[in-house]
């Protein structure tokens, strides 16, 4: 009978897979599960639980660890200040007895659940579990979610509940790739998923696992796995890799990768993980309908925000805000702008098998560009050849390595993210990252002066670094009166990468005696520090006082971003610790004013 595969069987598979060391063993366990224990009619019900991040049938749960912790505490009827509740809220840090699980929410939750749930399986089927998960996703508020969780807790044991929590968090940590799961299921599963992004369809169409499936092409209305770019170190290496090919170099825009699907007046905006971003509809749908001359098509490109008064793209991160403003009919200087750099479908046919050069021609025919709203990225013959002086060139045919280098330099000077090189003779291939597109980005550069910042707080790591401070909140000094030491420090950015394990350990050991925990519920930071109210900026520990702390030299991508989260007016993009300044005293910290001057001079404003 359909729908009667028990969840406990899937849980045994998860436990086995997790225990198996080699990927061959994991794969064979999964194959055995499909061959022996799972009915074909249950394939989708089971596989959506194994690959939860690919499942689009169910909406999002709206449950990240912190909200999930609150809901679980309530569902279990625990007091919010009980020892176990605090352990759940502070899952990164772990309690005195749970050091080993710190940093893994599901394990900390399993510990708590074990003390409250029985050992016997509740006997749920995977169908019943999916129905409850549907209810969890569709419940509108926290109390409804809590009530679904409490039903789940009643129907399962602690083991099962641990896996359900991992499914909700969409990461099972099984150590097996999505590719292997697809491969064991059916030889055509990955290809079919790449062109439909529809897990249900894949599981249902390929239910007969012995029967090969006819290769399917892309369709308007079904998201396609995007083609991706391979990272390359420098212009010379990129040129060598594309040796002998006709090459176009394009600006790498820093927005949202969006596929626009037009079917008459029906428009979809699919993101990289195939969610339909309907919020772009009010600002963009009419523009797409009126300026694309074919009835059906799929465009590939980037959604950005165009700033009309500055006559340039706004910085990354404002898309959602502008989408909302467009929906509410608010007039603003900024508007959504879609840049299409490829076309995948036109009229009644897929065109991904055509060359990029042919697809560029088609883009020219199909899209009527509208300045600052809908643009196409097709090459100019020479730098700025068709553009008024001073307007940046976004796409260029490169004839030699010098062209690439020059374009890269100009792009970086214009503060764009980098460039993409593309083989003009290549097809567009779903999910491919094999090097038909190459991306070249600036390396981290040293800012024109050292950015010497003071550690003011620490964040516990997760996984391998669970239970130990692994990242720092750093601050800039508030300008002190002449000849005095700074008295206040303004939070500036969070930084974790750059140090070796030994260096990190040395810093953490030195600072450990001065860590002061940021307890739940909220407690103010020490008075030396200025922070905003943003919760992301609350470190797990504060440094008791600045004199006890250490200076770090930070490097960063050349661009800064204005700061909504941290108290300083700018924060860094991709910050990285260059070295620990054991040689500097705490008061040698860069001050805010000098930093702002530094940003202004490097931005040329
Ligand atoms: P990154 O973090 O460097 O943006 P990524 O992992 O998000 O990389 P990649 O495939 O490595 O994605 O880089 C390609 C991404 O760059 C695309 O997904 C797209 O969002 C963006 N992009 C910006 N401009 C272009 C362009 N002209 N052509 C192709 N992709 C572009």
């Amino acid at each position: 009978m359909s729908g009667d595969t028990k969840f406990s069987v899937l849980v045994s598979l998860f436990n086995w897979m997790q225990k198996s060391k080699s990927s061959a063993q994991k794969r064979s366990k999964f194959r055995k599960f499909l061959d022996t224990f799972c009915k074909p009619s249950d394939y989708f019900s089971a596989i959506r639980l194994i690959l939860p991040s690919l499942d689009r049938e169910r909406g999002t749960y709206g449950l990240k660890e912190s909200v999930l912790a609150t809901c679980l505490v309530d569902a279990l009827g625990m007091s919010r200040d009980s020892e176990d509740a605090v352990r759940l809220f502070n899952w990164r840090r772990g309690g005195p007895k749970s050091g080993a699980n710190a940093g893994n929410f599901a394990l900390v939750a399993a510990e708590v659940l074990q003390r409250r749930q029985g050992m016997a399986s509740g006997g749920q089927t995977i169908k019943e579990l999916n129905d409850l998960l549907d209810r969890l996703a569709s419940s509108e508020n926290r109390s409804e979610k809590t009530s679904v969780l409490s039903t789940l807790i009643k129907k399962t044991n602690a083991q099962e509940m641990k896996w359900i929590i991992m499914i909700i968090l969409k990461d099972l940590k099984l150590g097996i790739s999505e590719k292997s799961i697809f491969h064991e299921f059916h030889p055509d599963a990955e290809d079919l998923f790449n062109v439909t992004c529809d897990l249900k369809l894949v599981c249902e169409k390929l239910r007969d696992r012995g029967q090969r499936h006819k290769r399917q092409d892309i369709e308007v209305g079904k998201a396609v796995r995007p083609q991706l770019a391979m990272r390359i170190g420098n212009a010379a290496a990129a040129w060598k890799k594309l040796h002998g090919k006709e090459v176009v170099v394009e600006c790498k825009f820093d927005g949202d990768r969006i596929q626009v699907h037009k079917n008459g007046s029906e428009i979809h905006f699919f993101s990289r993980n195939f969610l339909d971003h309907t919020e772009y509809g009010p600002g963009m749908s009419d523009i797409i309908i009126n300026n694309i001359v074919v009835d059906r098509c799929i465009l590939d490109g980037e959604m950005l925000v165009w700033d009309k008064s500055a006559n340039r793209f706004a910085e990354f991160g404002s898309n959602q805000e502008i989408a909302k403003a467009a929906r509410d009919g608010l007039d603003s200087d900024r508007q959504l702008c879609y840049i299409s750099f490829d076309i995948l479908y036109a009229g009644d046919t897929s065109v991904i098998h055509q060359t990029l050069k042919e697809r560029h021609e088609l883009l020219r025919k199909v899209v009527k560009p509208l300045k600052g709203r809908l643009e196409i990225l097709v090459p100019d013959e020479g730098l700025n050849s068709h553009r008024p002086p001073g307007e940046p060139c976004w796409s260029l045919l490169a004839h030699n390595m010098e062209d690439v280098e020059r374009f890269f330099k100009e792009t970086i000077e214009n503060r764009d993210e980098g460039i993409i090189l593309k083989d003009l003779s290549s097809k567009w291939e779903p999910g491919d990252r094999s090097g038909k597109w190459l991306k070249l980005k600036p390396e981290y550069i040293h800012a024109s002066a050292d950015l010497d910042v003071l550690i003011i707080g620490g964040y516990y790591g997760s996984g391998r670094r669970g239970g130990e401070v692994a990242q720092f909140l750093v601050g800039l000094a508030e300008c002190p009166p002449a000849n005095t030491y700074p008295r206040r420090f303004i939070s500036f950015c969070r930084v974790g990468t750059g140090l070796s394990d030994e260096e990190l350990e040395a810093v953490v050991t030195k600072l450990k005696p001065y860590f002061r925990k940021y307890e739940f519920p909220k407690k103010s930071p020490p008075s030396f520090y200025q922070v905003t109210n943003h919760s992301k900026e609350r470190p797990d520990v504060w440094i008791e006082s600045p004199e006890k702390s250490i200076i770090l030299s930070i490097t960063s991508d050349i661009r800064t971003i204005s700061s909504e989260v941290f108290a300083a007016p700018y924060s860094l993009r991709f910050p990285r610790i260059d070295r620990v300044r054991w040689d500097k005293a705490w008061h040698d910290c860069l001050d805010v004013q000098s930093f702002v001057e530094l940003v202004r001079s490097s931005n040329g404003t």
Side-chain angles (χ1 to χ4, degrees), residues 219-251:
E219 284 171 42
V220 178
K222 288 237 165 265
V224 191
R225 271 254 164 123
Q227 164 144 345
L228 297 169
M230 179 194 265
R231 185 162 192 159
I232 196 110
N234 56 48
W239 192 250
K240 193 164 157 215
K241 185 144 177 70
L242 294 174
H243 177 74
K245 309 266 192 219
E246 234 186 317
V247 174
V248 61
V249 278
E250 297 175 354
C251 174

Side-chain angles (χ1 to χ4, degrees), residues 10 79 82 234 250 266 277 287 303 313 318 395 398 418 434 547:
L10 199 58
S79 139
S82 64
N234 56 48
E250 297 175 354
E266 186 188 324
H277 282 249
I287 303 223
M303 188 70 81
F313 290 108
S318 35
S395 168
S434 67
E547 306 93 82

Side-chain angles (χ1 to χ4, degrees), residues 473-489:
L473 175 65
V474 295
L476 296 171
E478 198 176 78
C479 306
N483 303 324
T484 59
Y485 286 157
R487 297 161 65 129
R488 272 172 77 80
F489 291 81

Side-chain angles (χ1 to χ4, degrees), residues 182-194:
F182 276 141
H183 194 85
E184 294 307 327
F185 173 57
H186 192 289
D188 300 315
E190 192 188 9
D191 276 353
L192 187 57
F193 185 81
N194 280 346

Side-chain angles (χ1 to χ4, degrees), residues 226-231 250-257 272 301-302 341 377 417 420 422 433 437 439 441:
Q227 164 144 345
L228 297 169
M230 179 194 265
R231 185 162 192 159
E250 297 175 354
C251 174
K252 185 173 191 302
F253 292 98
D254 193 9
D256 258 350
R257 174 83 176 266
R272 214 179 126 157
E302 199 83 359
F341 50 70
L377 198 60
E417 231 208 346
I420 307 243
K422 295 179 181 171
R433 202 198 273 273
W437 294 3
K439 63 176 168 183
K441 298 213 280 193

